[in-house]
């Protein structure tokens, strides 16, 4: 990720201060600095909701069973727990140790966070609560029913570190997320195709996450203002070109490295834009959708128009051929694609990805993420329970999220000519 560590630390510290988090209290509940007894150790505190933390329990009795619990308040109480056998070292490293009992399998340092659940079985469906808002997570560890360690972790929300401003300029409607302090060098920027269904903004979480990672991002309202009804669901190419030119002109943006990002139905629009305008677009991020341009349904109409004329599009998603795939070789920079084998909206998503890989074998910076057991919303940023399906698909979907967003971070760091 671009941007200096100093800039990242400054942003998080400022956000924590704004929330009233006293630095003297960062050792957490029930612990004292330099204690020799059982305790939680973290690599960073506070941390951003978009990033993982690395956590260990130290000074534990070897051979004991330790139960680690996490509790958070997000409208109601959310909790999770995992049981570990303490190794001979007396240290349980959650990144390395597999629990003997947990709602996740295998070593997963963030498993306690994304597996948070409620007693009623309610699903996490608010990106404001699970992405925008800051929250505290209370951890405790017990051995033989006795609490031996506790700590409070602060997760700083995107609203604190990735503020936005509305854009209404030359027919452009969207929200611009400009990173705060960090590298002064020109940075790659991302046009996120938001609202790929009329009135349903879906790119704000992605754009704010990208900004928190250090990349300027414009969540572009693909079909106009939120709430606008466009039954035909057609995207005039001129609006996308205007948005790209606006983004390229912003201070701190490297105009040679602008990416487009679209998910689900927006994936094909992102790929079409990158293929049609390689002079404006460097790379494309397009998971969970087709790799060819498909006409919207059930009302026949164009997916994209240029000068009011239809751009040729396919009549459906089921017949997948190499000729149906967009000419991805025209994209100069990295391409990040992904598919879910259990996609409930596009059941042949991985066939579309496979044909795309035949058209464009992976180059430097490219990533083709295949997640056979994941579901459609694997493109949501990881580390929270937001929009996760019930087990056992939850873990596969979360693992795919981690892989996808790691690939996105790598692709954005690839330098072009």
């Amino acid at each position: 990720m671009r941007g200096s560590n100093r800039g990242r630390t400054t942003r998080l510290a400022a956000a924590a201060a704004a929330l009233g988090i006293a630095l003297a209290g960062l050792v957490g509940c029930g612990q004292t600095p330099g204690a020799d007894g059982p305790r939680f150790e973290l690599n960073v505190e506070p941390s951003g909701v978009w990033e993982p933390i690395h956590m260990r329990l130290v000074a534990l009795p070897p051979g004991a069973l330790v139960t680690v619990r996490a509790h958070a308040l997000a409208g109601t109480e959310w909790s999770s727990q995992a049981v570990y056998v303490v190794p001979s070292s007396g240290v349980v490293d959650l990144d390395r140790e597999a629990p003997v009992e947990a709602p996740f399998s295998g070593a997963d340092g963030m498993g306690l966070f994304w597996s948070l659940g409620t007693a009623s079985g309610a699903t996490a469906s608010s990106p404001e609560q699970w992405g925008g808002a800051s929250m505290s997570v209370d951890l405790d560890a017990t051995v033989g029913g006795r609490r031996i360690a506790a700590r409070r972790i602060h997760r700083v929300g995107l609203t604190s570190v990735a503020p936005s401003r509305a854009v209404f300029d030359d027919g452009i409607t969207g929200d611009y997320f400009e990173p705060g302090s960090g590298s002064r060098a020109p940075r790659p920027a991302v046009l996120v195709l938001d609202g790929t269904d009329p009135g349903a903004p879906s790119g704000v979480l992605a754009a704010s996450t990208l900004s928190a990672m250090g990349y300027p991002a414009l969540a572009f309202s693909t079909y106009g203002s939120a709430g606008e009804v466009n039954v035909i669901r057609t995207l005039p190419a001129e609006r996308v070109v205007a948005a790209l030119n606006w983004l390229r002109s912003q201070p701190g943006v490297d105009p040679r490295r602008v990416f487009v990002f679209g998910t689900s139905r927006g994936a094909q629009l992102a790929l079409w834009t990158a293929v049609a305008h390689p002079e404006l677009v460097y790379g494309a991020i397009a998971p969970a959708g087709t790799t060819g341009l498909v006409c919207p349904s059930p009302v026949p109409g164009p997916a994209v128009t240029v000068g009011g004329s239809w751009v040729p599009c396919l009549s459906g998603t089921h017949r997948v051929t190499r000729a149906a795939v967009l000419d991805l070789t025209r994209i100069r920079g990295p391409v990040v694609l992904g598919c879910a084998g259990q996609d409930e909206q596009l059941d042949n998503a991985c066939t579309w990805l496979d044909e795309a890989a035949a058209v464009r074998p992976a180059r430097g910076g490219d990533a083709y993420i295949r997640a056979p057991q994941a579901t459609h919303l694997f493109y949501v940023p990881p580390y929270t329970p937001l929009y996760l399906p019930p087990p056992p698909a939850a873990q596969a979907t979360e693992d795919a999220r981690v892989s996808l967003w790691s690939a996105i971070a790598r692709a954005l760091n690839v330098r072009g000519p």
Side-chain angles (χ1 to χ4, degrees):
M1 301 176 191
R2 292 183 61 81
S4 66
N5 289 333
R6 179 180 299 173
R8 175 205 168 277
T9 303
T10 300
R11 294 197 302 275
L12 289 179
L19 292 167
I21 299 172
L23 292 177
L26 292 183
V27 295
C29 303
Q31 289 183 207
T32 55
D36 294 328
R39 62 196 180 276
F40 288 95
E41 292 184 345
L42 278 68
N43 68 315
V44 62
E45 166 65 17
S47 56
V49 296
W50 67 93
E51 61 186 354
I53 57 176
H54 305 291
M55 183 167 57
R56 306 192 312 162
L57 266 167
V58 302
L60 301 178
L65 288 177
V66 58
T67 300
V68 186
R69 296 183 178 90
H71 302 270
L73 188 63
T76 187
E77 184 175 349
W78 295 72
S79 63
S80 63
Q81 72 174 45
V83 180
Y84 297 86
V85 176
V86 180
S88 59
S89 64
V91 176
V92 173
D93 184 331
L94 272 66
D95 285 340
R96 298 177 181 275
E97 299 293 336
V100 294
E101 181 182 329
F104 54 91
S105 62
D108 187 339
M110 294 300 291
L112 287 167
F113 293 81
W114 65 257
S115 67
L116 286 166
T118 65
S120 66
T123 57
S125 58
S126 169
E128 292 82 9
Q129 184 69 64
W130 292 102
S134 297
M135 66 166 38
S136 298
V137 180
D138 289 318
L139 300 173
D140 66 67
T142 59
V143 172
R146 183 174 66 90
R147 190 170 78 161
I148 60 170
R151 180 151 189 170
R152 173 165 290 178
I153 294 175
H154 301 93
R155 299 286 279 169
V156 178
L158 293 164
T159 302
S160 299
V161 296
S164 67
R165 60 183 171 92
V167 177
F168 301 96
D169 188 9
D170 294 331
I172 302 168
T173 305
D175 295 283
Y176 184 52
F177 296 82
E178 184 177 7
S181 57
S183 172
R184 294 183 177 274
R187 294 160 291 184
V190 187
L191 178 68
V192 180
L193 297 173
D194 194 2
T196 52
D197 285 308
S202 57
V204 168
L205 179 61
S208 56
T209 300
L210 290 164
S211 178
M213 292 164 59
Y215 303 101
L218 174 62
F220 170 58
S221 295
T222 312
Y223 296 99
S225 302
E228 182 176 325
V229 176
N230 183 337
V231 177
I232 299 178
R233 300 182 178 181
T234 298
L235 175 64
E238 292 78 12
R239 293 189 63 241
V240 184
V241 170
L244 285 168
N245 284 327
W246 185 92
L247 181 58
R248 285 160 51 90
S249 70
Q250 298 309 298
V253 169
D254 183 348
R256 299 169 302 173
R257 289 195 290 159
V258 170
F259 287 70
V260 287
F261 186 135
T263 59
S264 191
R265 183 168 174 258
Q268 62 169 338
L269 301 179
L271 291 176
W272 180 86
T273 301
V275 168
H277 294 284
E279 77 284 4
L280 301 177
V281 177
Y282 178 59
I285 303 162
T290 63
T291 52
L293 193 63
V294 178
C295 303
S297 61
V299 179
V304 180
T305 59
V306 175
S309 299
W310 282 43
V311 171
C313 52
L314 306 167
S315 59
T317 63
H318 293 292
R319 188 168 182 269
V320 186
T321 65
R322 197 163 303 180
V325 174
L326 293 159
D327 185 6
L328 305 183
T329 62
R330 288 175 54 82
I331 301 174
R332 296 177 293 123
V335 170
V336 178
L337 303 176
C339 68
Q342 305 302 313
D343 194 316
E344 59 274 30
Q345 296 190 25
L346 184 65
D347 59 8
N348 60 351
C350 289
T351 303
W352 280 103
L353 187 148
D354 290 340
E355 289 299 330
V359 169
R360 177 184 165 119
R363 306 174 183 173
D366 288 356
Y368 300 155
I369 309 297
R370 293 172 177 82
Q373 301 304 316
T375 54
H376 183 72
L377 291 174
F378 76 94
Y379 53 78
V380 172
Y383 312 128
T384 78
L386 182 64
Y387 299 139
L388 279 176
Q395 175 143 25
T397 303
E398 171 66 14
D399 291 345
R401 291 176 177 184
V402 173
S403 296
L404 176 67
W405 279 86
S406 296
I408 290 170
R410 291 192 299 271
L412 290 169
N413 271 313
V414 173
R415 292 186 175 274

